[in-house]
Amino acid sequence: MFLHYRKDVSPVKWTSGERQSRLLVDPVMEMPQNAKKPKKEMLLFHVAMSGEDTPYSKWQSRIMYYWYKKKKDLPGSEMGKFTRILHSGNPDNLMDEIPTFVVDPLPEGVDRGYVVLNRPWAFVQWLNKATIEEEYILMAEPDHIFTKPLPNLAYEGYPAAFPFFYIKPVKYEKIIRKFFPEEMGPDVLEKIAPTWMNVSLRMKNDPESDKKFGWVLEMYAYAVASALHGVQHILRKDFMLQPPWDMETGDKFILHYTYGCDYNLKGELLSGAIGDWRFDKRSYLDGPPPRNLSMPPQGVPESVVTLIKLINEATGNLPNWDALEEVKPNSS
């Protein structure tokens, strides 16, 4: 999830400024000191969320959009308009509820069962075809919940990114160099999105990359594409939290509920086992979770409690949720 500066607002042409072309530094960096000064103007960003037309993606998208609307106009927010980029090729039943731009999926068989490969292709199409008023874009996902108003964390030519602990380019340097040769260096300015798409496809077709990177392959591809084009990122640990590993919501802006939360009745986290109390989004592949999920046992971290409260509020207020509750969650 990143905030991109669009110096030239024509589709896909993202640049990081003339100053970047002279910086021979690593593509991941700390925030520049002058970026920490108070801003004098509003810098709105467009929230772009890619998604599928599956029940699993739809119920998460509805919750995500609910909290976007709740936080968008609060003090401190620089959140602009919202687009769900639907990569199914066809409109669905959420078109009237969530602002949606329909794009085509990859040709049949190209994703080789890894549906996430549709994401970079979806962004390429959207950027080429859509009219985007804001100069900045937040790339978001359905399993993101805004916990507080989000300001624009980018600074001029420096996009902002969350440092995912499971993305470790140094660990896989040999593999990364297949796609980002050492002699290319860190500074090449051009288009990121098509490169992101092409590197994703190349990684998927490379057996070693496919095996090692697994479900985060597309994220590694984005990092490589950024490096290929000299785009440097300011890492913001306050961008998001990921329960159950992050214990407190604190000052984080987005709650990312990608991990299963399993606890016994004593409030102790269980690893690799199904708990007496659990919430795992993957339990609801075929339909949404019911309204009024049970609260976790005493002793469970505040971040998990907050997650359930936020989901319950959204499902309790979204229309027609009851009609979908009859779909039973998967047992796995």
Side-chain angles (χ1 to χ4, degrees), residues 18-309:
E18 295 179 359
R19 180 168 177 258
Q20 299 303 96
S21 64
R22 300 192 299 269
L23 290 178
L24 297 177
V25 294
D26 190 84
V28 174
M29 62 182 300
E30 297 298 325
M31 183 185 303
Q33 286 299 315
N34 54 350
K36 299 177 182 178
K37 298 178 181 178
K39 293 181 293 188
K40 296 182 180 179
E41 60 178 328
M42 289 280 287
L43 298 174
L44 296 179
F45 59 88
H46 195 101
V47 179
M49 177 193 71
S50 60
E52 303 173 77
D53 62 352
T54 62
Y56 179 65
S57 181
K58 286 180 179 179
W59 69 256
Q60 294 175 58
S61 298
R62 296 189 75 195
I63 293 173
M64 196 279 196
Y65 185 59
Y66 172 88
W67 283 106
Y68 157 81
K69 292 192 295 183
K70 292 275 286 188
K71 304 299 182 181
K72 177 183 180 295
D73 296 322
L74 295 180
S77 169
E78 291 180 286
M79 301 159 77
K81 294 183 178 179
F82 186 102
T83 299
R84 178 181 63 136
I85 309 172
L86 180 62
H87 49 75
S88 65
N90 298 294
D92 65 5
N93 63 343
L94 294 183
M95 302 293 291
D96 293 335
E97 180 177 338
I98 305 175
T100 300
F101 192 94
V102 180
V103 297
D104 293 325
L106 288 167
E108 185 175 357
V110 172
D111 65 16
R112 297 176 56 209
Y114 180 56
V115 296
V116 186
L117 281 181
N118 284 287
R119 189 165 187 254
W121 175 224
F123 270 90
V124 169
Q125 295 174 82
W126 176 64
L127 289 165
N128 273 308
K129 298 176 182 178
T131 299
I132 306 164
E133 297 177 3
E134 299 88 347
E135 291 190 356
Y136 296 78
I137 296 172
L138 168 66
M139 295 201 302
E141 298 184 13
D143 60 356
H144 291 169
I145 295 177
F146 292 102
T147 59
K148 56 189 293 190
L150 180 61
N152 190 328
L153 301 179
Y155 176 75
E156 294 186 351
Y158 299 91
F162 176 72
F164 289 97
F165 67 85
Y166 44 79
I167 302 297
K168 302 176 180 178
V170 174
K171 180 179 179 180
Y172 301 112
E173 182 178 1
K174 181 181 176 183
I175 299 175
I176 294 296
R177 285 302 180 188
K178 292 182 181 181
F179 310 97
F180 180 47
E182 210 165 346
E183 61 271 16
M184 292 193 69
D187 278 85
V188 180
L189 299 177
E190 254 320 328
K191 301 170 182 176
I192 294 178
T195 306
W196 175 29
M197 176 188 69
N198 291 328
V199 173
S200 295
L201 292 171
R202 287 175 58 201
M203 284 186 173
K204 186 62 182 175
N205 287 313
D206 179 78
E208 185 178 20
S209 305
D210 189 23
K211 179 180 179 180
K212 294 293 186 180
F213 295 160
W215 66 276
V216 295
L217 179 145
E218 164 262 345
M219 298 172 71
Y220 273 102
Y222 180 87
V224 169
S226 298
L228 286 170
H229 293 307
V231 176
Q232 301 164 316
H233 291 79
I234 301 167
L235 297 184
R236 294 288 300 251
K237 291 184 178 180
D238 60 345
F239 221 145
M240 67 167 61
L241 71 146
Q242 301 184 104
W245 311 117
D246 294 310
M247 312 288 266
E248 302 291 333
T249 305
D251 61 352
K252 307 297 193 299
F253 294 104
I254 292 175
L255 191 154
H256 181 209
Y257 56 101
T258 189
Y259 294 102
C261 302
D262 284 274
Y263 292 88
N264 61 26
L265 296 180
K266 296 180 181 179
E268 298 169 333
L269 178 65
L270 303 178
S271 180
I274 296 178
D276 298 306
W277 181 93
R278 75 182 321 241
F279 176 79
D280 188 337
K281 66 177 185 177
R282 295 166 188 83
S283 295
Y284 303 98
L285 297 176
D286 299 325
R291 282 177 165 161
N292 196 27
L293 291 168
S294 64
M295 297 303 296
Q298 187 175 358
V300 168
E302 179 270 340
S303 63
V304 179
V305 175
T306 297
L307 168 61
I308 302 305
K309 287 181 177 179

